[in-house]
Amino acid sequence: MTADPPAATPARGLLALERMRTRPEFLRAARARTVRTPGFVLQGRDRGDGDAVHVGFTCSKKVGNAVARNRAKRRLREVARLELPDHGRAGWDYVLIGRRDETAARDFATLRADLIEALTRLHP
């Protein structure tokens, strides 16, 4: 008896997301454009290669202890996973920076709206 194939999930976007992991990648993004929203700060940089979207996440100790920082980063990762394939641009680096008392406590739907608004302001 063969197992049924997994149900096809609808394609969200055509952009592949790759994680930024090295300090030089984050520093290059920090020298580029910045958009501040109530829930987080978004930094964006056009790499010019038209390849996948690179995304990184960071929270300073000002956000709170390790538990608070990890919770804020988890929320940022999920927002990016849901919205960047549809609203991001290929060949761009994005860094989402958590904000103290906001990123972890803000309503999730509002965080998603913040990212969409930040991306539209970043890409005139």
Side-chain angles (χ1 to χ4, degrees), residues 40-62:
F40 56 88
V41 176
L42 175 69
Q43 296 172 336
R45 170 184 169 271
D46 185 6
R47 289 188 321 273
D49 60 6
D51 199 12
V53 173
H54 292 181
V55 62
F57 309 94
T58 185
C59 290
S60 72
K61 287 189 176 184
K62 291 180 183 179

Side-chain angles (χ1 to χ4, degrees), residues 33 35 42 44-46 53 84 87-94 115-124:
R33 299 166 133 174
V35 176
L42 175 69
R45 170 184 169 271
D46 185 6
V53 173
L84 280 180
H87 300 285
R89 289 193 182 169
W92 277 71
D93 291 340
Y94 299 106
L115 181 58
I116 294 169
E117 176 195 344
L119 289 169
T120 57
R121 288 176 24 203
L122 189 67
H123 305 295

Side-chain angles (χ1 to χ4, degrees), residues 13-35:
L14 300 177
L15 295 178
L17 295 180
E18 294 180 7
R19 291 283 302 271
M20 293 171 53
R21 299 190 187 271
T22 63
R23 180 171 168 78
E25 291 176 309
F26 282 88
L27 292 177
R28 283 191 295 270
R31 289 189 300 266
R33 299 166 133 174
T34 301
V35 176

